[in-house]
Structure formats: C-alpha cells, structure tokens
C-alpha cells in the first residue's frame, strides 16, 4: 500500500459517531477529551471560527470548507470566539446514534462531521504523523468533496434504512479524500510526516520504505531514491519528518511488527524475516528499543488482552 493507506490501516479508524450540527444565533462549543479520535467535518451552510489548542491562529470557516483534526487536541467552534464556550458533551449527548443536533433553534449554521475512534497500542506515534489541523478551503478542494458532503447532509437529515452504513462509508471516504487533497496541494514547506510525504524527494524515499520495508535499506540507497547526496538527504529528511531516515525505517518496521504480532499467529522469527531481519536477536533488540519490551512479551500481553 501507499504510506497514507499504511498509516490509516494501522490506526484502524472506525466511525464512532457521525452527526449534523444545526446552530442558530450566537454560540460557542468546546470539544475536549479528543484523545484517540480523528475528527473530519465540513461546513454545509453558514460560517464559524475554529480554534485548535497549540495552533496560533484561529481559522474562519465558510460553507464548503472541510477540516480534519488528527492530533487529539481540544478545539473550539464558535460564531464568535469571544463568547463563553459550552462543553460539546452537553450539546451532542443526543447524537450517539447520529442524526442532527439543533442548538439555539438552528437555521444559521450547519456542520456535518464524523469522529473516528482509532485503536492500537501505538496510536500516539501514528497520530503524530498527521498534522494538528488540515483546513481545505479552495474551490477545487470543495468541488472534490461536494458530492460526499451533500450526500452526508441528506443522510443525516433523512433517516432511512441502511442509513448508518451509508454514513459510515461516506465518512471514511471524506477522511481519506481530505488528506489526499492536502497532500496534492504540496504542503512540503511544512514540517511533519504528511508535509514530508508531499515533498517530491523526501516523499519518494518514504514511499520506497513503505513499499518494501524488508529491503536492506541504507542511507546511501534512500538518498539515491530521493536523488540527493547522503548528507543533504539526511539533513532534509530529519528537518521534514522529525527523525533521521534510518530511525524512521526502524520505527516503521516495528509498528508493522507490533501489528502482526497482535493480529496474526505468525511466529516471531517469521515476523522478523518479513521485515528484513535474518537474526531474531537483532529484531528483538530493535523491537525492545522502539516499543519498550521484547516481541515475546508484547505478543503474550496482546493475547492475554484479547482473551480478557
């Protein structure tokens, strides 16, 4: 698979809840306790402000704008950010089964969105690969998402047989499409994994690692894929991704290993070989360094957790 599909597959996102938010008048809602969630929303009508913890500037959203939050940070949506905020749990407590929540009489602003629960033992590492916020506002981006947005709004407003499944599929499609549009917009000047993936040279090296993680990659080999000298490649890779190339390779291999140990009956030696380690001891040392425990211990703990 490609790197974005790889990361989303390991996160195993499932649509926890999809809902519409129909607000009127003046309002402000704070969304706390977002850990282990990815949020994907689109403004169907009206406008609002989005403020995300740790992101310096708030964003003004208008009809057609889409945003993705993958960092688990607290955020606020408001008609006016100077207003005191109400906690989202009080507003959306009736939305656990989907549908539309009306606030302040509705009619002025409509948001369609999904909150994806992600699982796995290393969600934090994987979510850190996504930017804290993706804001899609260009008309070309809106056009690419328009059909799915309009269809979801209709499904949320008109409860029909099979509605939950349709909404879930639309939500997954919107999430992937939004991240894909972010990539295609060449945000390579930004630090972070997704920005690095959009960079032509560094992205080529990341793609090579994901396509063949068992390959005996060297710094020189990855630099060659990127079409750069070793020193410049190493410097640029660390600047963009946040870790050196060989450390990224090892970490990705160990994330794959953890997933295989948790979700298959393959013996440790086979998992090690499938990721380029002929020596089980070398694999074990790398796994313990990245994951904090031995492969055998990790496998036994996952088995016990699945039985309990």
């Amino acid at each position: 698979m490609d790197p974005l599909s790889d990361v989303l597959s390991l996160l195993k996102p499932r649509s926890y809840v999809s809902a519409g938010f129909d607000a009127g008048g003046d309002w402000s809602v704070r969304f706390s306790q977002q850990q282990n969630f990815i949020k994907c929303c689109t403004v169907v009508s009206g406008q609002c402000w989005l403020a995300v913890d740790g992101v310096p500037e708030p964003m003004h959203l208008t009809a057609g704008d889409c945003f993705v939050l993958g960092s688990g940070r607290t955020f606020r949506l408001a008609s006016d950010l100077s207003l005191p905020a109400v906690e989202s749990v009080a507003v959306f407590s009736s939305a656990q089964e989907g549908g539309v929540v009306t606030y302040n009489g509705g009619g002025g602003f409509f948001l369609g969105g999904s909150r994806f629960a992600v699982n796995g033992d290393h969600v934090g590492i994987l979510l850190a690969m996504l930017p804290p916020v993706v804001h899609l506002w260009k008309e070309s981006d809106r056009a690419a998402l328009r059909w799915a947005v309009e269809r979801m709004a209709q499904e949320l407003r008109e409860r029909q047989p099979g509605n939950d499944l349709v909404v879930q599929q639309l939500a997954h499609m919107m999430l992937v499409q939004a991240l894909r549009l972010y990539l295609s917009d060449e945000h390579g000047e930004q630090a972070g994994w997704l920005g690095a993936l959009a960079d032509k040279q560094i992205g080529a090296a990341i793609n090579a690692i994901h396509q063949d993680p068992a390959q005996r990659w060297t710094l020189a080999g990855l630099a060659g894929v990127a079409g750069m000298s070793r020193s410049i490649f190493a410097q640029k890779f660390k600047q963009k991704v946040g870790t050196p190339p060989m450390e990224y390779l090892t970490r990705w291999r160990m994330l794959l290993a953890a997933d295989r140990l948790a979700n298959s009956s393959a013996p440790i030696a086979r998992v090690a070989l499938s990721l380029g380690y002929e020596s089980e001891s070398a694999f074990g040392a790398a796994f313990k360094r990245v994951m904090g425990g031995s492969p055998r211990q990790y496998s036994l703990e996952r088995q016990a957790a699945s039985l309990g």
Side-chain angles (χ1 to χ4, degrees):
M1 291 189 288
D2 64 277
L4 180 58
S5 297
D6 278 341
V7 169
L8 290 177
S9 293
L10 286 189
L11 280 169
K12 299 174 176 60
R14 53 186 175 84
S15 188
Y16 182 78
V17 60
S18 294
F21 178 54
D22 185 7
D26 296 326
W27 55 274
S28 179
V29 181
R30 179 186 291 106
F31 296 78
S32 306
Q33 299 178 344
Q34 298 298 304
Q35 295 84 355
N36 294 353
F37 290 111
I38 297 174
K39 195 95 171 180
C40 180
C41 299
T42 301
V43 178
V44 178
S45 60
Q47 59 184 350
C48 75
W49 289 92
L50 166 66
V52 182
D53 280 7
V55 177
E57 296 295 327
M59 284 149 275
H60 187 237
L61 308 178
T62 59
D65 283 15
C66 176
F67 65 90
V68 177
L69 302 170
S71 62
R73 302 184 189 190
T74 294
F75 67 97
R76 257 206 307 156
L77 290 172
S79 61
D80 182 345
L81 288 172
S82 66
L83 296 170
V86 176
E87 286 295 333
S88 61
V89 65
V91 177
F92 288 89
S93 59
S94 62
Q96 297 307 310
E97 299 301 326
V100 177
V101 172
T102 302
Y103 190 66
N104 277 357
F109 171 81
F110 190 91
L111 181 82
S114 297
R115 186 175 72 171
F116 297 88
V118 292
N119 53 34
D121 298 304
H122 306 287
V123 166
I125 296 175
L126 292 162
L127 286 181
M129 292 175 150
L130 303 179
V133 57
V134 170
H135 176 203
L136 301 174
W137 54 270
K138 294 195 304 185
E139 180 53 38
S140 58
D141 294 338
R142 293 176 175 182
L145 288 164
R146 187 166 292 135
W147 178 85
V149 170
E150 292 174 352
R151 187 66 194 176
M152 175 174 276
Q154 181 180 356
E155 291 287 338
L156 290 171
R157 286 186 170 118
E158 303 171 8
R159 305 294 289 176
Q160 301 180 45
N163 173 268
D164 290 342
L165 183 58
V166 172
V167 168
Q168 183 180 49
Q169 297 302 318
L170 286 169
H172 277 86
M173 184 175 73
M174 287 170 61
L175 171 64
V176 175
Q177 181 67 356
L179 294 174
R180 183 187 291 171
L181 287 168
Y182 179 87
L183 278 170
S184 68
D185 201 31
E186 297 185 354
H187 289 246
E189 75 283 354
Q190 297 184 6
W193 180 81
L194 204 59
L197 195 58
D199 182 276
K200 186 176 180 180
Q201 293 172 306
I202 302 303
I206 294 173
N207 270 282
I209 288 171
H210 282 252
Q211 286 173 7
D212 190 3
Q215 172 72 23
R216 293 184 178 179
W217 292 111
T218 62
L219 182 60
L222 290 171
V225 170
M228 305 169 72
S229 70
R230 285 191 304 174
S231 59
I232 294 177
F233 168 71
Q235 181 181 8
K236 187 176 181 180
F237 192 102
K238 185 174 182 180
Q239 177 188 7
K240 294 286 184 182
V241 180
T243 59
M246 303 312 290
E247 183 178 326
Y248 177 86
L249 169 64
T250 301
R251 186 178 67 178
W252 181 247
R253 284 172 170 171
M254 296 308 108
L255 287 168
L256 291 174
D259 185 66
R260 293 172 190 178
L261 289 170
N263 297 292
S264 78
S265 57
I268 294 172
R270 187 184 301 170
V271 172
L273 190 60
S274 72
L275 293 170
Y277 291 86
E278 294 183 0
S279 163
E280 188 174 332
S281 61
F283 167 72
F287 190 93
K288 186 173 184 179
R289 185 171 69 252
V290 175
M291 298 301 181
S294 71
R296 192 169 306 281
Q297 178 186 1
Y298 181 87
S299 182
L300 290 172
E301 287 175 353
R302 298 293 79 71
Q303 291 174 20
S306 65
L307 293 174

